[in-house]
Amino acid sequence: MPTAGIAETMPQSESCELERPKPFNFFIFGASGDLAKRKIIPALYQLSVLSLLPEDFLVIGAARSDISTEAFRDKMRQAVMEAAGHSAFDKGKWEHLANKLYYIPMQYDSPQAYTSLAKRCMPLEKQYKTCQNRIFYLAVPPTAFEDVITNLGEAGLASPASAGNEKGYTHIVIEKPFGRDLRSASNLNGVLNKYFAENQIYRMDHYLAKETVQNILMFRFANSVFEPVWNNRFIDHVQITAAETIGIEHRGGYYEESGVLRDMFQNHLLHLLALTAMEPPQAFSTEKVRDERVKAIGSIKPLNPECLAGFLSLGQYGPGNGTPGYRQEPDVQPYSNTPTYAALKLEVENWRWNGVPFYLRSGKKLASRKGEIAVHFKPVPHLMFMGSQMGRIEPNAIVLRIQPGEGLEMLIQAKHPGSRICLSPVKLDYTYPEEAAPKDYSRVLLDCMQGDQMLFVRTSEVDASWELLTPVIEQAESQKWDFPNYHPGSEGPAGAAALLSRNGHQWDPL
Ligand code: BG6
């Protein structure tokens, strides 16, 4: 298919440039774990490379492993080199960060550990002039969330610290999964709200910080050509995909408890749907955008758990291509019923979307890594181009590519060049230039340092998404599934295709 019209990005104005945050002390609980190594420290390093860290700051890793600050720095240096690529590693920028990186071993469930942590930090905070600004990042297993939050609160560390006339901020960042159902999420919110105000709480969903995801609102509401057709009069259906080629990557213990519906749907995929379906906020401000996201999730038609087959298809990958199946992965039960793939059909019940199916799918070990939102339009009302040379005329589509190759494409029909009258599809494609901009994790860390909660999830959003999915997940877990049912490297289970074909639709290929 021909590709045409590569758009160019105009030079950005100075006001688009990101500002450096004020000095801070960034605590990482769970600092010896996988998340700190793969995401958090590399994200801080990226901010250092982009000169988006202030001169004065401090990073304190805390975890159960009994290692020294030197050993921690070495381990993190390796991790950053792996994430950045050895040739791109900037020693100077790493040292700017590494010199301010400390490690303190501690037990999360010991109240004394928090008072002594505070005592040990104070001289460092003074030395690094962190201005009483503190961020607590919980990169611990979900089972430890409550202990850390309660102990921070009881040690008096939740309220913003002050020294003399100076008062800083205290923010707490919570990784997903935020609860495992509506009840546990409400309990966790209860514990948080006992010590922290909502404007101190930063619930992570790194998908909200992906470049194309942030662009959905710009694309929809800064252009007048799209919004008039962004409704059920013109749109036939929407496909939201988050497909991965990787498996569960040594996270068997976590994944057995979570499965794909908790891991990807309750958060990432429902947020993508919310941004695609929501009404224009009155202003581009944190609470107004969050209000509309919640309303969109709250407008999804409740799902009847008694009729799972009508809207849900689940899958689990088997062995193949020389790799183990899900059931053979470490820490996974030999007869596990946990899904690694799901396809879900949702409807948004309001004037704009009534009758438009939203198909969501996500899975591990699929044919390609692909994150996108594909908006499929209805066919033209009357087809005057008939005849064999015309072929099948595909309706228009707009695809917001989240990854890889972030960008957007529009499928239109145009005359095939030449003397014959033939139509052929043309793809208008805009790929984001590779810019030195903060990637998802760096972006959310920066926002948290600057006190901007727009890309974080509010309590009401967590509640709305669990309210929708909890009954479905519980019903699905009580049922026996015929797993494994898809081959690694494939498009997923046959049931997922059947879910769409009933409505005369088919998935875009992965
Ligand atoms: C995480 C999930 O939230 O997102 C992982 O826990 C998943 O299972 C990951 O692999 C996908 O993120 P990304 O940014 O690689 O698409």
Side-chain angles (χ1 to χ4, degrees):
M1 181 186 310
T3 302
I6 308 296
E8 277 187 33
T9 326
M10 299 298 166
Q12 67 176 20
S13 72
E14 268 177 31
S15 63
C16 288
E17 280 168 20
L18 292 164
E19 277 174 29
R20 279 184 191 214
K22 295 198 188 99
F24 57 81
N25 181 6
F26 192 94
F27 291 83
I28 309 171
F29 292 102
S32 59
D34 202 45
L35 189 70
K37 202 171 78 183
R38 282 191 312 116
K39 300 283 189 188
I40 306 171
I41 298 287
L44 287 169
Y45 165 75
Q46 203 211 5
L47 292 178
S48 171
V49 170
L50 296 173
S51 303
L52 284 169
L53 288 180
E55 244 347 279
D56 296 312
F57 68 93
L58 175 64
V59 179
I60 297 185
R64 286 178 288 220
S65 317
D66 193 9
I67 56 168
S68 65
T69 287
E70 283 63 40
F72 182 62
R73 286 181 182 173
D74 278 352
K75 206 170 142 191
M76 293 303 121
R77 181 191 162 101
Q78 282 307 322
V80 164
M81 283 173 98
E82 265 164 43
H86 288 242
S87 54
F89 181 70
D90 183 328
K91 193 163 168 265
K93 297 289 187 184
W94 165 248
E95 277 168 6
H96 177 58
L97 169 63
N99 292 337
K100 300 176 165 80
L101 194 57
Y102 289 81
Y103 181 84
I104 297 178
M106 67 176 285
Q107 297 300 325
Y108 307 128
D109 58 356
S110 149
Q112 297 82 344
Y114 294 77
T115 31
S116 64
L117 179 70
K119 267 198 208 126
R120 287 187 64 183
C121 288
M122 269 184 290
L124 287 171
E125 289 183 333
K126 223 171 180 180
Q127 180 186 343
Y128 290 96
K129 303 193 203 84
T130 60
C131 300
Q132 323 305 316
N133 295 323
R134 286 179 179 156
I135 297 173
F136 296 115
Y137 196 115
L138 271 57
V140 291
T143 44
F145 282 169
E146 210 173 309
D147 271 340
V148 180
I149 300 164
T150 307
N151 285 322
L152 282 172
E154 294 296 323
L157 289 166
S159 16
S162 51
N165 289 335
E166 262 185 78
K167 195 166 171 116
Y169 64 73
T170 298
H171 295 163
I172 183 161
V173 186
I174 319 266
E175 263 295 334
K176 60 167 274 281
F178 196 91
R180 61 185 325 274
D181 51 24
L182 183 57
R183 199 164 49 89
S184 54
S186 311
N187 287 347
L188 183 55
N189 271 324
V191 177
L192 270 170
N193 295 146
K194 188 165 169 204
Y195 302 106
F196 294 89
E198 186 64 27
N199 65 6
Q200 295 179 277
I201 305 171
Y202 288 70
R203 297 178 193 81
M204 281 283 284
D205 179 348
H206 74 282
Y207 262 60
L208 286 175
K210 287 187 186 279
E211 196 63 39
T212 322
V213 177
Q214 289 186 65
N215 197 24
I216 300 172
L217 297 190
M218 317 291 158
F219 172 75
R220 287 188 56 199
F221 303 129
N223 295 294
S224 54
V225 294
F226 301 116
E227 205 41 30
V229 297
W230 210 255
N231 55 52
N232 56 7
R233 284 183 56 215
F234 295 92
I235 294 177
D236 183 64
H237 71 281
V238 178
Q239 299 189 15
I240 301 182
T241 300
E244 299 184 272
T245 48
I246 55 169
I248 52 158
E249 306 271 283
H250 313 292
R251 294 197 302 158
Y254 156 76
Y255 207 84
E256 277 287 87
E257 285 297 309
S258 140
V260 68
L261 288 170
R262 290 192 180 88
D263 188 46
M264 296 294 287
F265 281 71
Q266 178 270 332
N267 31 66
H268 308 325
L269 272 85
L270 282 185
H271 285 133
L272 296 182
L273 180 149
L275 293 167
T276 312
M278 72 190 228
E279 293 303 315
Q282 186 267 333
F284 191 61
S285 68
T286 299
E287 291 318 319
K288 292 200 156 79
V289 169
R290 300 211 290 184
D291 283 347
E292 294 302 335
R293 290 204 307 247
V294 183
K295 267 196 241 162
I297 298 176
S299 307
I300 298 172
K301 187 174 172 185
L303 301 162
N304 179 357
E306 300 303 317
C307 310
L308 287 190
F311 57 84
L312 179 71
S313 162
L314 294 181
Q316 188 192 79
Y317 61 82
N321 310 339
T323 61
Y326 176 71
R327 289 177 176 182
Q328 288 78 50
E329 302 273 13
D331 303 320
V332 170
Q333 295 298 316
Y335 296 102
S336 173
N337 204 31
T338 302
T340 58
Y341 176 100
L344 184 62
K345 178 185 159 206
L346 298 175
E347 287 168 68
V348 179
E349 284 190 307
N350 58 24
W351 276 48
R352 187 192 280 269
W353 293 113
N354 199 39
V356 179
F358 281 75
Y359 300 114
L360 278 52
R361 68 177 155 167
S362 178
K364 302 277 186 198
K365 287 223 182 169
L366 293 171
S368 64
R369 176 171 183 254
K370 186 173 182 176
E372 66 176 34
I373 300 167
V375 177
H376 289 267
F377 286 81
K378 292 189 169 161
V380 290
H382 167 67
L383 210 52
M384 62 178 197
F385 306 103
M386 300 299 270
S388 54
Q389 73 275 41
M390 292 299 176
R392 186 178 165 267
I393 297 181
E394 266 188 69
N396 301 132
I398 292 178
V399 180
L400 301 159
R401 272 196 318 264
I402 297 164
Q403 58 196 24
E406 301 181 331
L408 70 91
E409 61 194 50
M410 196 191 293
L411 185 78
I412 61 165
Q413 295 293 331
K415 183 183 169 301
H416 196 79
S419 52
R420 286 177 64 195
I421 299 295
C422 278
L423 279 170
S424 63
V426 174
K427 212 190 257 179
L428 304 181
D429 192 321
Y430 169 64
T431 302
Y432 282 68
E434 270 291 323
E435 271 201 18
K439 299 265 181 288
D440 44 26
Y441 260 82
S442 321
R443 178 61 210 236
V444 279
L445 295 192
L446 191 61
D447 282 4
C448 176
M449 292 164 191
Q450 281 164 335
D452 182 349
Q453 290 183 299
M454 190 185 288
L455 302 181
F456 294 85
V457 187
R458 205 168 63 186
T459 326
S460 48
E461 286 178 281
V462 175
D463 289 348
S465 51
W466 277 127
E467 209 168 303
L468 178 79
L469 289 183
T470 302
V472 175
I473 296 175
E474 283 174 355
Q475 179 64 28
E477 282 175 348
S478 70
Q479 237 169 265
K480 197 89 206 97
W481 296 81
D482 195 11
F483 290 158
N485 60 352
Y486 73 96
H487 213 261
S490 71
E491 299 268 326
L499 189 67
L500 269 68
S501 61
R502 272 181 248 145
N503 287 10
H505 296 139
Q506 61 184 44
W507 290 110
D508 296 329
L510 290 178

